[in-house]
Amino acid sequence: MGQTITEKILEDHLVDGDLETGEEIGIEIDQVLTQDTTGTMVWLQFEAMGLDEVQTEIAAQYCDHQTYQFDFKNTDDHRFLRSAAGTYGAYFSRPGNGICHNVHRENFAAPGKTLLGSDSHTPTPGGLGQLAIGAGGIDVTVAMGGAPYYIEMPEIVEVRLEGELPEWATAKDVILEMLRRLSVKGGVGKILEYTGPGVESLTAPERMTITNMGTELGATSSIFPTDEQTEDYLERVGRQEEYVELQPDDDAEYDDQIVVDLSDLEPLIAQPSMPDNVVPVREVAGEDVDQVIVGSCTNGAYEDILPAAKMLEGREVNPTTEMIVAPGSKQASEILAREGWVAEMMAAGVNFSEATCGACIGIGHVPASDSVSLRTFNRNFEGRSGIEDDNVYLCSPEVAAAAAITGEIVDPRDLADELEDLEDPGIELPDEYDASKVDLITPDEAVDDELVKGPNIGDVPLREDLDSDVEGEVLLKMEDNITTDHIIPATQDILMYRSNIEKLSEFTLSRVDDTFAERAQAADGGVLLAGENYGQGSSREHAAMCPMYLGVEAVLAQSFARIHRANLFNFGIVPLTIDEDTYADIDQGDEVEIVDDVHEAVTSGQEEFTIRVNGDDEYTATLDASARERDILAAGGKLAWTKAQAEEGG
Ligand code: F3S
């Protein structure tokens, strides 16, 4: 039987298991990436495991989420990360050099290779034919130490692209259309493999906008075949020798198929406050816009900013609107500056930011209260912009620029009818991505050979073996689609404690209930109750580590997002699935007891658990876990488990 691209890459890297949907497989990892929010814990865990050198072909440490140096904490973290990269043999990208996915695609992404990253948008280089997966920090630590990465073999879904994009429709509209159809849960447990005649009309950067935002569908990864467009991009970044041909076999079999006719697409927009709340731009036209931001790992590349710059050439940003361009990498800024586009944008009234995640996680450029912000980003979860009552829309750079010009949401096709000299700027790649590499320090050029830790860098928290008795109060009942931003917000005032779990845990779930941390500590633990898709969003392992630190022993949810579910195992918290009726019957404050001997049940492979509520009513909850996941849980988490494994192996 023929193979899909995903199967070909997985087979090449397979060290354990069979490529059967739902079976656990172990794969070899060629490259890893981490960023400054998740990276400090990655390296502290690397140190705690007693590992002494990176074993993957490439390991790269980026500083992108918290580049502003408000006080010593972020700066200390960056210094620690540089020292860790130097000590253990990783590349180090200095703060301001750009967002991990942008810098990684420019320098390392390669077709046919595997990449594991402690950031949920790691699948971005799928647009270049790389199989790239986001994971929790400790999974990255272990892979960096040379161990396989284990994952349940996902379903492989063919997304067949027909036709070509019409004028003013963009790659962003392709992925917004996918979100409109499938929702933020539609990709869970799946790898989306793009095929069909429409693929060849999309440049590699456009493909990477689509694969980047496959994360919002909950997909494990997204991938494109390779062709002349891939070769062309690799040539322009000066790495043409890394090209490999990757196509599915003619008789490849997929678990499902989705057809998208590109020629049917039009400018789309995701309304507040979920990326799948998608409608045609024309449906919301006329709404006043206070702020426009072009940037992020989704649409912050040279190719994304240039169309906006062209639309603004000779025009001005509307006086009622503020427009910010936040490039995805310094390389993009440097090339745009050399070509004169930065000056053009500044003359039009654009405020140019450093290359950082920044506004995407509410660090800088926080919108005014009760205002509308249009962004080219990938997420608009409520409060993520830095204020609770935000109204963030997601769109293409073209729609964003049209709004900056008019001060309101407008379909760029309608604006083009009005302004005769406004044309669809299309996509244009630079002849050569010829920017300086001074901000990317190679392992050979490392300037440190020992770890440097500032006072805000704490120890890695550890949990004891899983208890036989798991019981406690339902500390919080939450609804569907709770994000990792709800669990541990990524805003500056909170995430500056990312290397100090004792302090960071005080903010756990504070966006849902600001008394949570105090109550959890007073109760000496307990359980959490949630609806569907619990833990969607980022790969942030702090969202499991902090509840663990506060004593949370189990989460009962109707379903879990993939990375967060893995993080719960990695930090010794029992993730149990319950049905809708059980969810409805249990309330916050109820006393829940798992009737079974939990340690024994977990290790023996038991799937159904009995939970007793308030000493009376009994319900069934399910633990769907592989033997390896059960061992990790029983050991109290992955760090303890990995250390024990290493000791056993001598
Ligand atoms: Fe950064 Fe936002 Fe992307 S936080 S990695 S720009 S999703």
Side-chain angles (χ1 to χ4, degrees):
M1 195 179 72
Q3 286 186 311
T4 63
I5 301 166
T6 307
E7 286 168 330
K8 289 181 186 190
I9 300 177
L10 286 175
E11 192 171 271
D12 253 13
H13 292 83
L14 196 67
V15 290
D16 207 353
D18 297 311
L19 300 184
E20 302 281 336
T21 310
E23 293 294 308
E24 190 174 67
I25 53 169
I27 54 171
E28 194 186 334
I29 296 299
D30 301 319
Q31 303 184 351
V32 297
L33 72 76
T34 181
Q35 33 90 338
D36 51 346
T37 300
T38 54
T40 48
M41 279 297 149
V42 166
W43 293 111
L44 288 170
Q45 290 171 138
F46 201 86
E47 182 196 22
M49 280 183 203
L51 297 166
D52 51 24
E53 201 176 10
V54 163
Q55 300 295 320
T56 47
E57 290 171 16
I58 303 279
Q61 171 64 56
Y62 300 97
C63 296
D64 52 3
H65 281 59
Q66 299 255 1
T67 60
Y68 302 124
Q69 295 159 335
F70 298 97
D71 67 5
F72 70 93
K73 298 186 199 69
N74 288 342
T75 326
D76 276 10
D77 274 358
H78 295 151
R79 186 178 59 181
F80 168 69
L81 293 171
R82 192 188 73 186
S83 74
T87 305
Y88 296 122
Y91 285 81
F92 179 70
S93 177
R94 297 201 284 205
N97 191 36
I99 304 173
C100 53
H101 311 301
N102 296 62
V103 183
H104 200 83
R105 84 188 214 188
E106 290 160 359
N107 292 283
F108 305 115
K113 297 282 186 187
T114 52
L115 164 68
L116 194 72
S118 60
D119 188 277
S120 61
H121 291 93
T122 299
T124 306
L128 278 182
Q130 177 158 40
L131 186 63
I133 300 175
I138 191 149
D139 288 319
V140 171
T141 308
V142 171
M144 203 152 64
Y149 173 61
Y150 284 86
I151 188 172
E152 213 173 84
M153 178 68 191
E155 283 180 30
I156 304 171
V157 176
E158 178 182 24
V159 185
R160 191 175 166 79
L161 302 180
E162 310 273 3
E164 280 188 30
L165 288 170
E167 278 209 330
W168 295 105
T170 65
K172 186 64 164 278
D173 301 309
V174 178
I175 192 65
L176 288 175
E177 170 66 9
M178 292 283 288
L179 278 153
R180 190 184 69 76
R181 289 199 207 174
L182 303 182
S183 90
V184 290
K185 290 185 298 185
V188 174
K190 296 170 185 166
I191 290 183
L192 304 175
E193 194 168 308
Y194 288 81
T195 70
V199 165
E200 65 181 36
S201 65
L202 299 171
T203 61
E206 287 173 292
R207 296 175 189 180
M208 287 190 270
T209 293
I210 296 170
T211 46
N212 169 283
M213 220 172 149
T215 297
E216 276 50 61
L217 292 160
T220 303
S221 192
S222 305
I223 192 163
F224 275 76
T226 61
D227 56 12
E228 282 171 15
Q229 298 274 17
T230 324
E231 224 173 338
D232 176 69
Y233 180 81
L234 285 171
E235 203 171 308
R236 289 173 202 249
V237 293
R239 297 190 287 116
Q240 55 270 51
E241 68 287 353
E242 294 179 28
Y243 178 74
V244 279
E245 174 93 7
L246 274 172
Q247 291 285 337
D249 292 329
D250 291 341
D251 55 347
E253 280 184 20
Y254 291 91
D255 293 298
D256 202 356
Q257 190 197 49
I258 296 164
V259 179
V260 178
D261 190 339
L262 299 178
S263 54
D264 287 343
L265 294 183
E266 60 177 318
L268 296 171
I269 194 162
Q271 305 178 91
S273 293
M274 233 358 115
D276 60 2
N277 193 8
V278 174
V279 293
V281 172
R282 276 182 181 154
E283 253 181 49
V284 284
E287 171 100 49
D288 287 342
V289 173
D290 302 87
Q291 183 192 56
V292 167
I293 312 185
V294 173
S296 87
C297 59
T298 313
N299 281 125
Y302 170 92
E303 304 78 23
D304 300 303
I305 299 169
L306 186 60
K310 285 181 178 171
M311 287 172 69
L312 283 160
E313 194 178 8
R315 298 194 169 83
E316 285 178 2
V317 172
N318 193 286
T320 60
T321 308
E322 177 198 24
M323 178 168 178
I324 299 123
V325 167
S329 69
K330 200 188 252 185
Q331 183 189 78
S333 314
E334 195 179 322
I335 303 172
L336 287 161
R338 286 187 201 284
E339 292 180 351
W341 289 109
V342 173
E344 282 296 341
M345 285 187 276
M346 285 181 166
V350 168
N351 179 6
F352 216 78
S353 148
E354 74 178 63
T356 174
C357 293
C360 181
I361 40 171
I363 299 178
H365 304 299
V366 174
S369 55
D370 193 23
S371 68
V372 169
S373 178
L374 232 68
R375 302 174 165 204
T376 65
F377 302 177
N378 47 37
R379 289 186 175 150
N380 58 349
F381 302 144
E382 195 181 340
R384 185 174 167 94
S385 69
I387 47 161
E388 287 301 323
D389 63 341
D390 56 8
N391 292 293
V392 176
Y393 290 74
L394 307 173
C395 61
S396 67
E398 286 80 348
V399 172
I405 294 166
T406 59
E408 57 184 42
I409 299 178
V410 58
D411 187 312
R413 293 172 299 179
D414 297 332
L415 187 62
D417 285 345
E418 218 177 282
L419 307 174
E420 275 174 11
D421 56 343
L422 183 69
E423 286 176 4
D424 179 357
I427 282 284
E428 197 185 318
L429 278 60
D431 293 338
E432 204 187 328
Y433 291 82
D434 61 343
S436 84
K437 297 256 196 261
V438 66
D439 285 306
L440 189 63
I441 301 175
T442 69
D444 292 342
E445 295 162 342
V447 286
D448 311 87
D449 55 9
E450 62 182 41
L451 299 180
V452 183
K453 293 181 189 170
N456 186 46
I457 297 178
D459 292 327
V460 176
L462 274 174
R463 168 163 274 182
E464 304 283 295
D465 281 15
L466 181 65
D467 266 350
S468 294
D469 300 320
V470 171
E471 59 188 322
E473 183 188 332
V474 176
L475 294 163
L476 202 56
K477 180 171 184 174
M478 296 167 278
E479 49 204 36
D480 292 349
N481 295 324
I482 289 293
T483 71
T484 47
D485 283 339
H486 286 110
I487 307 171
I488 290 291
T491 48
Q492 158 59 23
D493 52 332
I494 295 177
L495 260 200
M496 64 182 173
Y497 296 112
R498 63 192 173 270
S499 314
N500 180 346
I501 299 306
E502 185 182 348
K503 180 74 187 162
L504 186 69
S505 60
E506 291 174 14
F507 300 94
T508 308
L509 284 160
S510 56
R511 286 205 24 224
V512 184
D513 172 358
D514 58 13
T515 65
F516 174 78
E518 220 174 299
R519 290 192 296 107
Q521 250 171 345
D524 195 19
V527 302
L528 295 173
L529 179 65
E532 300 275 7
N533 201 21
Y534 179 69
Q536 68 160 331
S538 88
S539 68
R540 199 171 305 149
E541 63 189 347
H542 300 88
M545 205 184 270
C546 290
M548 172 194 92
Y549 184 82
L550 293 174
V552 170
E553 290 185 278
V555 180
L556 308 176
Q558 285 175 253
S559 64
F560 294 89
R562 180 186 65 87
I563 303 178
H564 188 63
R565 176 185 169 279
N567 282 335
L568 291 173
F569 282 104
N570 287 345
F571 291 94
I573 297 176
V574 189
L576 290 170
T577 313
I578 50 169
D579 64 21
E580 205 180 337
D581 294 339
T582 308
Y583 171 81
D585 280 359
I586 306 177
D587 290 316
Q588 188 166 319
D590 284 352
E591 285 294 326
V592 167
E593 173 198 353
I594 301 179
V595 177
D596 314 73
D597 177 324
V598 181
H599 193 281
E600 165 69 25
V602 165
T603 47
S604 68
Q606 188 175 317
E607 289 187 0
E608 296 206 334
F609 288 65
T610 303
I611 51 175
R612 190 177 294 143
V613 179
N614 294 333
D616 191 2
D617 298 331
E618 292 195 349
Y619 301 87
T620 301
T622 310
L623 179 70
D624 176 15
S626 68
R628 203 185 46 86
E629 286 171 330
R630 286 169 183 274
D631 288 348
I632 289 172
L633 199 54
K638 193 158 184 177
L639 183 55
W641 178 76
T642 309
K643 280 179 104 169
Q645 294 270 104
E647 278 160 23
E648 266 173 38

Short mmCIF file of all heavy atoms in Angstrom, two decimals, residues 35 37 64-65 99-102 119-122 124 212 216 295-298 356-361 377-379 384 490 540, ligand 1:
data_model
loop_
_atom_site.label_atom_id
_atom_site.label_comp_id
_atom_site.label_asym_id
_atom_site.label_seq_id
_atom_site.Cartn_x
_atom_site.Cartn_y
_atom_site.Cartn_z
N GLN A 35 11.86 28.18 23.45
CA GLN A 35 11.87 29.65 23.52
C GLN A 35 12.03 30.08 24.98
O GLN A 35 12.14 29.23 25.86
CB GLN A 35 10.62 30.22 22.83
CG GLN A 35 9.35 29.38 22.92
CD GLN A 35 8.49 29.69 24.11
OE1 GLN A 35 8.96 30.22 25.10
NE2 GLN A 35 7.22 29.32 24.02
N THR A 37 10.10 31.45 27.24
CA THR A 37 9.08 31.18 28.25
C THR A 37 9.18 29.75 28.75
O THR A 37 9.03 29.47 29.93
CB THR A 37 7.68 31.40 27.64
OG1 THR A 37 7.61 32.74 27.21
CG2 THR A 37 6.59 31.14 28.63
N ASP A 64 12.15 35.14 22.52
CA ASP A 64 11.18 35.87 21.71
C ASP A 64 9.94 36.33 22.49
O ASP A 64 9.40 37.38 22.23
CB ASP A 64 10.73 35.02 20.52
CG ASP A 64 10.26 33.61 20.92
OD1 ASP A 64 10.23 33.32 22.13
OD2 ASP A 64 9.93 32.81 20.03
N HIS A 65 9.53 35.55 23.48
CA HIS A 65 8.28 35.89 24.15
C HIS A 65 8.43 37.09 25.08
O HIS A 65 7.54 37.91 25.19
CB HIS A 65 7.77 34.69 24.95
CG HIS A 65 7.08 33.66 24.10
ND1 HIS A 65 7.72 33.02 23.07
CD2 HIS A 65 5.82 33.16 24.12
CE1 HIS A 65 6.86 32.18 22.50
NE2 HIS A 65 5.71 32.25 23.12
N ILE A 99 11.07 35.74 16.38
CA ILE A 99 10.20 34.69 16.95
C ILE A 99 10.76 33.33 16.53
O ILE A 99 11.20 33.15 15.39
CB ILE A 99 8.76 34.90 16.47
CG1 ILE A 99 8.28 36.31 16.83
CG2 ILE A 99 7.84 33.84 17.05
CD1 ILE A 99 6.92 36.68 16.27
N CYS A 100 10.71 32.39 17.46
CA CYS A 100 11.36 31.09 17.23
C CYS A 100 11.00 30.47 15.89
O CYS A 100 11.88 30.01 15.14
CB CYS A 100 11.05 30.12 18.38
SG CYS A 100 9.30 29.90 18.76
N HIS A 101 9.72 30.50 15.52
CA HIS A 101 9.32 29.81 14.28
C HIS A 101 9.86 30.52 13.05
O HIS A 101 10.22 29.87 12.07
CB HIS A 101 7.79 29.70 14.23
CG HIS A 101 7.25 29.16 15.51
ND1 HIS A 101 7.62 27.93 16.00
CD2 HIS A 101 6.42 29.70 16.43
CE1 HIS A 101 7.02 27.74 17.16
NE2 HIS A 101 6.31 28.80 17.45
N ASN A 102 9.92 31.83 13.11
CA ASN A 102 10.45 32.57 11.97
C ASN A 102 11.95 32.35 11.82
O ASN A 102 12.45 32.07 10.74
CB ASN A 102 10.16 34.07 12.13
CG ASN A 102 8.67 34.35 12.11
OD1 ASN A 102 7.94 33.87 12.96
ND2 ASN A 102 8.21 35.08 11.12
N ASP A 119 6.85 24.80 21.95
CA ASP A 119 5.96 25.90 21.62
C ASP A 119 4.90 25.32 20.70
O ASP A 119 5.20 24.52 19.82
CB ASP A 119 6.70 27.03 20.89
CG ASP A 119 5.79 28.23 20.74
OD1 ASP A 119 4.99 28.26 19.79
OD2 ASP A 119 5.86 29.13 21.59
N SER A 120 3.64 25.71 20.92
CA SER A 120 2.55 25.04 20.20
C SER A 120 2.56 25.29 18.70
O SER A 120 1.99 24.51 17.94
CB SER A 120 1.21 25.43 20.81
OG SER A 120 1.03 26.81 20.68
N HIS A 121 3.19 26.38 18.25
CA HIS A 121 3.22 26.64 16.80
C HIS A 121 4.44 26.05 16.11
O HIS A 121 4.76 26.42 14.97
CB HIS A 121 3.06 28.14 16.52
CG HIS A 121 1.68 28.61 16.87
ND1 HIS A 121 1.37 29.14 18.10
CD2 HIS A 121 0.51 28.52 16.19
CE1 HIS A 121 0.07 29.39 18.15
NE2 HIS A 121 -0.48 29.02 17.01
N THR A 122 5.08 25.11 16.79
CA THR A 122 6.23 24.40 16.19
C THR A 122 5.91 23.82 14.80
O THR A 122 6.81 23.76 13.95
CB THR A 122 6.71 23.31 17.17
OG1 THR A 122 7.12 23.95 18.38
CG2 THR A 122 7.86 22.50 16.61
N THR A 124 4.98 25.05 12.25
CA THR A 124 5.14 26.02 11.16
C THR A 124 5.94 25.48 9.97
O THR A 124 5.50 25.58 8.82
CB THR A 124 5.77 27.33 11.70
OG1 THR A 124 4.98 27.78 12.81
CG2 THR A 124 5.84 28.41 10.64
N ASN A 212 1.32 26.91 10.33
CA ASN A 212 1.44 27.57 11.65
C ASN A 212 0.10 27.53 12.37
O ASN A 212 0.00 27.12 13.54
CB ASN A 212 1.89 29.02 11.44
CG ASN A 212 1.80 29.88 12.69
OD1 ASN A 212 0.72 30.32 13.09
ND2 ASN A 212 2.92 30.10 13.36
N GLU A 216 -4.28 26.03 15.75
CA GLU A 216 -5.57 26.52 16.26
C GLU A 216 -6.69 25.51 16.02
O GLU A 216 -7.73 25.56 16.66
CB GLU A 216 -5.93 27.86 15.62
CG GLU A 216 -5.30 29.06 16.32
CD GLU A 216 -3.83 28.95 16.56
OE1 GLU A 216 -3.07 28.82 15.58
OE2 GLU A 216 -3.40 28.94 17.74
N GLY A 295 1.94 41.27 12.25
CA GLY A 295 3.13 40.61 12.80
C GLY A 295 2.79 39.23 13.31
O GLY A 295 1.82 38.62 12.84
N SER A 296 3.59 38.72 14.23
CA SER A 296 3.50 37.40 14.87
C SER A 296 4.11 36.30 14.01
O SER A 296 4.48 36.53 12.85
CB SER A 296 2.06 37.01 15.24
OG SER A 296 1.41 36.37 14.15
N CYS A 297 4.15 35.08 14.59
CA CYS A 297 4.76 33.96 13.86
C CYS A 297 3.89 33.51 12.70
O CYS A 297 4.33 32.75 11.85
CB CYS A 297 5.04 32.80 14.81
SG CYS A 297 3.58 32.16 15.65
N THR A 298 2.65 33.98 12.63
CA THR A 298 1.74 33.59 11.53
C THR A 298 1.93 34.48 10.32
O THR A 298 1.99 34.01 9.18
CB THR A 298 0.27 33.70 12.00
OG1 THR A 298 0.15 33.09 13.26
CG2 THR A 298 -0.67 33.05 11.02
N THR A 356 9.49 40.44 18.06
CA THR A 356 9.16 39.80 19.34
C THR A 356 7.73 39.27 19.29
O THR A 356 6.94 39.70 18.47
CB THR A 356 9.30 40.83 20.49
OG1 THR A 356 8.85 40.25 21.70
CG2 THR A 356 8.46 42.09 20.24
N CYS A 357 7.40 38.35 20.17
CA CYS A 357 6.01 37.89 20.29
C CYS A 357 5.16 39.02 20.87
O CYS A 357 4.04 39.25 20.44
CB CYS A 357 5.92 36.71 21.24
SG CYS A 357 6.72 35.23 20.62
N GLY A 358 5.71 39.69 21.88
CA GLY A 358 5.12 40.90 22.45
C GLY A 358 3.60 40.92 22.53
O GLY A 358 2.97 40.23 23.33
N ALA A 359 3.00 41.73 21.64
CA ALA A 359 1.55 41.98 21.71
C ALA A 359 0.72 40.70 21.62
O ALA A 359 -0.40 40.65 22.14
CB ALA A 359 1.16 42.92 20.59
N CYS A 360 1.27 39.66 21.00
CA CYS A 360 0.52 38.41 20.85
C CYS A 360 0.15 37.82 22.21
O CYS A 360 -0.84 37.12 22.34
CB CYS A 360 1.34 37.42 20.03
SG CYS A 360 0.52 35.86 19.76
N ILE A 361 0.99 38.10 23.23
CA ILE A 361 0.70 37.60 24.56
C ILE A 361 0.51 38.75 25.55
O ILE A 361 0.78 38.62 26.75
CB ILE A 361 1.78 36.61 25.07
CG1 ILE A 361 3.17 37.08 24.68
CG2 ILE A 361 1.50 35.21 24.58
CD1 ILE A 361 4.30 36.29 25.30
N PHE A 377 -2.51 37.89 13.83
CA PHE A 377 -2.00 36.82 14.68
C PHE A 377 -2.81 35.54 14.49
O PHE A 377 -3.68 35.46 13.63
CB PHE A 377 -2.04 37.25 16.15
CG PHE A 377 -1.26 38.52 16.47
CD1 PHE A 377 -1.29 39.04 17.76
CD2 PHE A 377 -0.52 39.18 15.52
CE1 PHE A 377 -0.58 40.19 18.08
CE2 PHE A 377 0.20 40.33 15.82
CZ PHE A 377 0.15 40.84 17.11
N ASN A 378 -2.53 34.56 15.36
CA ASN A 378 -3.24 33.28 15.25
C ASN A 378 -4.27 33.05 16.37
O ASN A 378 -5.06 32.14 16.28
CB ASN A 378 -2.25 32.11 15.19
CG ASN A 378 -1.18 32.21 16.25
OD1 ASN A 378 -1.46 32.63 17.37
ND2 ASN A 378 0.05 31.84 15.91
N ARG A 379 -4.19 33.85 17.42
CA ARG A 379 -5.09 33.61 18.56
C ARG A 379 -5.74 34.90 19.02
O ARG A 379 -5.06 35.93 19.07
CB ARG A 379 -4.30 33.04 19.75
CG ARG A 379 -3.88 31.63 19.48
CD ARG A 379 -3.22 31.00 20.68
NE ARG A 379 -2.98 29.62 20.33
CZ ARG A 379 -1.99 28.88 20.79
NH1 ARG A 379 -1.14 29.41 21.66
NH2 ARG A 379 -1.85 27.64 20.42
N ARG A 384 -6.13 37.67 26.16
CA ARG A 384 -4.74 37.40 25.73
C ARG A 384 -3.99 38.68 25.35
O ARG A 384 -2.77 38.76 25.45
CB ARG A 384 -4.76 36.41 24.56
CG ARG A 384 -3.37 35.95 24.10
CD ARG A 384 -3.51 34.88 23.05
NE ARG A 384 -2.26 34.61 22.36
CZ ARG A 384 -1.41 33.65 22.70
NH1 ARG A 384 -1.66 32.88 23.73
NH2 ARG A 384 -0.30 33.45 22.01
N ALA A 490 -0.03 34.53 30.07
CA ALA A 490 1.32 34.78 29.54
C ALA A 490 1.70 36.25 29.60
O ALA A 490 2.63 36.68 28.96
CB ALA A 490 1.39 34.28 28.11
N ARG A 540 2.83 25.50 27.01
CA ARG A 540 3.35 25.90 28.32
C ARG A 540 3.15 24.81 29.40
O ARG A 540 2.06 24.54 29.85
CB ARG A 540 2.52 27.13 28.68
CG ARG A 540 2.99 28.05 29.68
CD ARG A 540 2.08 29.29 29.68
NE ARG A 540 1.97 29.91 28.37
CZ ARG A 540 0.88 30.55 27.96
NH1 ARG A 540 -0.16 30.67 28.74
NH2 ARG A 540 0.84 31.10 26.76
FE1 F3S B 1 4.90 34.08 19.76
FE2 F3S B 1 2.33 34.43 19.51
FE3 F3S B 1 3.63 32.89 17.87
S1 F3S B 1 3.42 34.15 21.41
S2 F3S B 1 5.31 32.04 19.03
S3 F3S B 1 3.89 35.06 18.07
S4 F3S B 1 1.62 32.49 18.76
#
